[in-house]
Amino acid sequence: QSKMFPLGSWFPALPGLAWGWTLLDALLQGLVGACAVLVLCSLLKVYLYIQCANNPERQAEKEAIAAQRPLLELLHVLVLTGVLALVGSRVAALVVLEFSLRAVSTILSLGKGAHSSQLYLLCQYSLGCGVSCGLSFLLEGAPHRSWNLALAAGLAGLLALHTRRLARHVCTLYELHSRARYCGICILLLAAGHGIPRLLRNALALTFAVADLAAVELINRDFLSTGEAMRFWTPLPICSTLLLFYIVPTVAPQCHVLTEESRQSTGRGLVFRTVVVRMGGLFILLLTVGRWTDILHIFVSLLGELWCLLRSGVLLESCWRQ
């Protein structure tokens, strides 16, 4: 009984009570994933603002990054929490694995540097799914699962709140404090702010390593035979490879011939088309070996990806200008 009602094992077994605890667990997992995305975006905002502040030609870009929209940030967290709570562990695992394969292929093909910041922004929804998958796997069968998720959500919320305050502090006072040299935070960022991408790269590598292991285990438990498993796993790397060939030839030849506005418009359209192609590939894959609920979750994932990209439009434009 303690496994069925992790927060309230002392309550009577009323009809629908187990469903209520399951919904609560899903919401808590989604909240942790949304907080992880908020931390990522806040740190990227700090890094990009510092880069713009050090370049007199990017003042308009700096003002766009510094614009404060607290209600939109709260709405972003709520929407992303709901989306991650609705997406099943099977589709979330596929999203994580597909992005991991594509990220590795992109890094090996294009190298590091100018593409790194953009790749961090493109992994927002996949990061939320990865955190959700990792929690599902690590806490499966735990006698106090809901308590553990509540603790994780609290810690993630505190971390997200502090990074959001850091971004607000930097966007408001960084230039003044870095010149006056009396704010420890701004002095530290002035000296070591260029190391934020490396910090994010290490944190994301660790997060996706755990998420990939959890995703493989969550998917493999549904297969009864090796043949069925191979029929499912084989198309995934093929689709990721084809998607990479779709991206690189479209971007590379145009990098030196387009104006800045045309290049940003092309890049924005390519990002959204890539999301549709990725989800379309997963949709076709799940039509053959998935369930009807997986098909619904694919559409929810598409909405989540588009929502994250729309919300981070200013940061994406800043990455393209770099």
Side-chain angles (χ1 to χ4, degrees):
Q1 186 181 4
S2 60
K3 292 184 179 181
M4 183 177 295
F5 307 115
L7 262 183
S9 58
W10 51 87
F11 289 115
L14 298 177
L17 192 58
W19 181 86
W21 293 127
T22 301
L23 177 61
L24 176 62
D25 289 350
L27 289 173
L28 290 174
Q29 283 183 195
L31 179 59
V32 176
C35 289
V37 174
L38 183 60
V39 170
L40 172 66
C41 291
S42 297
L43 291 178
L44 276 176
K45 186 176 183 179
V46 169
Y47 171 72
L48 293 173
Y49 182 88
I50 292 174
Q51 297 299 309
C52 294
N54 296 331
N55 189 345
E57 299 179 356
R58 302 174 65 181
Q59 295 305 305
E61 184 181 345
K62 180 192 70 176
E63 294 175 359
I65 294 176
Q68 302 293 335
R69 303 178 182 89
L71 291 180
L72 286 180
E73 290 181 357
L74 178 60
L75 178 63
H76 177 58
V77 172
L78 293 177
V79 171
L80 194 53
T81 298
V83 169
L84 292 174
L86 287 174
V87 173
S89 59
R90 184 181 173 95
V91 172
L94 278 176
V95 170
V96 171
L97 292 173
E98 187 276 333
F99 177 82
S100 299
L101 291 172
R102 187 163 48 90
V104 171
S105 301
T106 302
I107 292 173
L108 293 177
S109 300
L110 303 179
K112 301 176 183 178
H115 302 279
S116 298
S117 298
Q118 181 177 340
L119 189 62
Y120 297 151
L121 288 172
L122 295 179
C123 82
Q124 291 179 73
Y125 181 73
S126 300
L127 174 62
C129 290
V131 172
S132 180
C133 280
L135 289 174
S136 296
F137 176 70
L138 294 174
L139 296 179
E140 185 177 12
H144 303 291
R145 175 186 173 90
S146 296
W147 282 116
N148 294 329
L149 286 172
L151 178 60
L155 294 176
L158 286 176
L159 183 59
L161 180 62
H162 282 296
T163 53
R164 181 176 175 274
R165 287 179 177 175
L166 173 64
R168 183 168 27 178
H169 175 85
V170 169
C171 293
T172 306
L173 300 171
Y174 172 77
E175 292 182 279
L176 174 64
H177 287 177
S178 60
R179 288 194 301 266
R181 302 295 179 93
Y182 65 81
C183 174
I185 295 177
C186 294
I187 293 175
L188 177 64
L189 290 173
L190 181 64
H194 60 277
I196 292 178
R198 183 171 63 251
L199 172 66
L200 290 176
R201 182 173 66 247
N202 295 335
L204 289 173
L206 178 61
T207 302
F208 276 102
V210 175
D212 289 337
L213 294 175
V216 171
E217 177 62 27
L218 289 173
I219 293 177
N220 276 338
R221 67 181 54 176
D222 293 331
F223 299 127
L224 301 178
S225 65
T226 304
E228 186 181 356
M230 290 299 297
R231 188 161 58 96
F232 183 87
W233 285 112
T234 302
L236 189 60
I238 295 176
C239 291
S240 299
T241 304
L242 292 176
L243 183 59
L244 180 65
F245 287 130
Y246 167 77
I247 295 173
V248 176
T250 307
V251 178
Q254 303 176 9
C255 289
H256 302 290
V257 298
L258 295 178
T259 64
E260 181 179 353
E261 293 183 358
S262 299
R263 186 165 57 248
Q264 291 172 16
S265 177
T266 301
R268 188 180 301 110
L270 177 62
V271 166
F272 285 102
R273 288 198 303 272
T274 301
V275 170
V276 175
V277 171
R278 287 172 51 210
M279 292 302 164
L282 294 180
F283 175 80
I284 294 173
L285 175 63
L286 290 173
L287 277 179
T288 59
V289 293
R291 310 184 186 99
W292 71 268
T293 52
D294 295 333
I295 305 302
L296 176 62
H297 293 158
I298 283 291
F299 288 105
V300 174
S301 294
L302 176 61
L303 293 177
E305 287 271 15
L306 295 177
W307 173 260
C308 288
L309 292 177
L310 288 172
R311 180 66 185 85
S312 58
V314 174
L315 299 182
L316 274 173
E317 290 180 4
S318 179
C319 293
W320 288 324
R321 287 193 178 98
Q322 289 186 356

